[in-house]
Amino acid sequence: MRRSGLMLTLLALLVVSGCAPQVDIEAERSALREAAVAYHEAASALNAGAVAALYAEGAVMMPPNADQIEGLANIRSFADEFVEAPGLEMRCGPPTAEVSLSGDLGWTIATCEMTFEGPDGEPVVERVRDVHLWQKQADGSWKVVLDIWNSELPAPGSTD
């Protein structure tokens, strides 16, 4: 009797696991990487509208040395102001992308180099690490839900 109970339990687990949707992680990783490349191409082109279009409605942005920005409307405003920085140029390397086993969450990391005009009118070069948490949307697209970046350069006045 014990053996048949175990067999029924195993059979039930097999049936349940067979009914679970199968996720093609490689395909999702590729789709996520494409979304991240589109993001960085739009950022490099200083296209604030195209960048903002890749954020989810309730997204959160955490820029360095600034207040947290919440919601798509506020992120759009930030992006519009950001691309207007005097002398701004951006170049980003290829992103690393990973996807959860469930296929609905993923993250990307990229490094970007930004040049902009400093307060003294001289060009400033900044290298940043850009980290995004993405969520797959009902329509199959990937949207940023959390965006945080920081500098690779030593803090001013540090001895490193």
Side-chain angles (χ1 to χ4, degrees), residues 9-157:
T9 302
L10 288 174
L11 181 60
L13 286 172
L14 284 172
V15 168
V16 169
S17 67
C19 294
Q22 299 299 309
V23 176
D24 184 342
I25 297 298
E26 268 313 306
E28 293 302 336
R29 187 179 296 124
S30 179
L32 177 57
R33 190 175 296 108
E34 286 177 27
V37 166
Y39 179 98
H40 289 113
E41 286 174 351
S44 294
L46 306 181
N47 185 338
V51 169
L54 290 164
Y55 284 85
E57 187 63 42
V60 174
M61 181 184 278
M62 302 173 103
N65 307 311
D67 291 334
Q68 180 170 299
I69 301 164
E70 297 181 14
L72 189 52
N74 292 327
I75 288 171
R76 280 187 181 129
S77 294
F78 178 86
D80 286 338
E81 289 178 33
F82 186 82
V83 300
E84 294 299 321
L88 180 62
E89 294 179 18
M90 290 185 64
R91 290 167 301 287
C92 297
T96 298
E98 287 299 332
V99 174
S100 67
L101 292 178
S102 60
D104 61 344
L105 290 174
W107 55 264
T108 58
I109 298 175
T111 55
C112 300
E113 185 174 285
M114 298 186 301
T115 303
F116 53 92
E117 188 178 301
D120 59 1
E122 293 297 315
V124 174
V125 177
E126 178 70 77
R127 289 190 316 267
V128 298
R129 295 172 287 233
D130 188 30
V131 179
H132 291 146
L133 177 63
W134 300 74
Q135 185 175 40
K136 189 170 181 182
Q137 305 299 295
D139 67 1
S141 67
W142 286 93
K143 300 276 183 167
V144 176
V145 293
L146 178 63
D147 180 2
I148 186 168
W149 68 96
N150 58 36
S151 177
E152 285 187 346
L153 303 176

